[in-house]
Amino acid sequence: MKYKVALNNRVFEVEVEEGQAMLLDEYELKAPAAPAAAAPVAAAPAAAAPAAAPAAPAGGALAAGEVVKSPMPGNVLRINVSQGQTVAEGDVLLVLEAMKMENEVVATKGGTVAQIVVTKGAVVDTDAPLVVIA
């Protein structure tokens, strides 16, 4: 079977046969935002900051409590909790899609959901705040 794997803005075409893998091709990932990010390196973090800002509430501040952060970049597929809901440590808060795989993000402690920072369909980066548990 042949697969295309994107990693660090590079795409690898890999062919896998019973216990053996062979690299077929490797090339840079082309994206519409790539030319803008090719500017000075200092501009890249500035471009990433506005993407995270709309996820925060209008006041821009997070509620007091423990912030559950995204373990990886991805798309928010489902949010399984609502604000004010009581959760136990290990409960699934939401599901992130990363590289066509669904990844469950669980509560790091028990408590009450004080704030849901993201919305369904949002694109998040690694360490982006997702949920606040008080």
Side-chain angles (χ1 to χ4, degrees), residues 33-54:
V41 177

Side-chain angles (χ1 to χ4, degrees), residues 29-45:
L29 184 63
K30 300 292 181 185
V41 177

Side-chain angles (χ1 to χ4, degrees), residues 49 52-64 67 115 117 129 132:
L62 295 175
V67 178
Q115 182 178 4
V117 183
V132 179

Side-chain angles (χ1 to χ4, degrees), residues 18-61:
E18 292 189 37
Q20 182 179 352
M22 180 184 345
L23 180 63
L24 299 177
D25 195 10
E26 174 185 345
Y27 49 90
E28 283 195 44
L29 184 63
K30 300 292 181 185
V41 177

Side-chain angles (χ1 to χ4, degrees), residues 64-129:
E66 184 166 331
V67 178
V68 178
K69 296 181 180 180
S70 175
M72 66 195 75
N75 299 322
V76 178
L77 284 183
R78 285 188 303 276
I79 299 176
N80 296 345
V81 295
S82 57
Q83 191 167 342
Q85 181 177 339
T86 302
V87 295
E89 183 176 347
D91 284 355
V92 177
L93 301 174
L94 54 88
V95 178
L96 282 179
E97 177 194 26
M99 293 186 65
K100 304 293 182 192
M101 294 189 64
E102 293 184 10
N103 302 281
E104 295 178 338
V105 177
V106 298
T108 53
K109 72 170 195 167
T112 303
V113 176
Q115 182 178 4
I116 300 173
V117 183
V118 295
T119 58
K120 181 179 176 182
V123 177
V124 297
D125 288 328
T126 302
D127 291 331

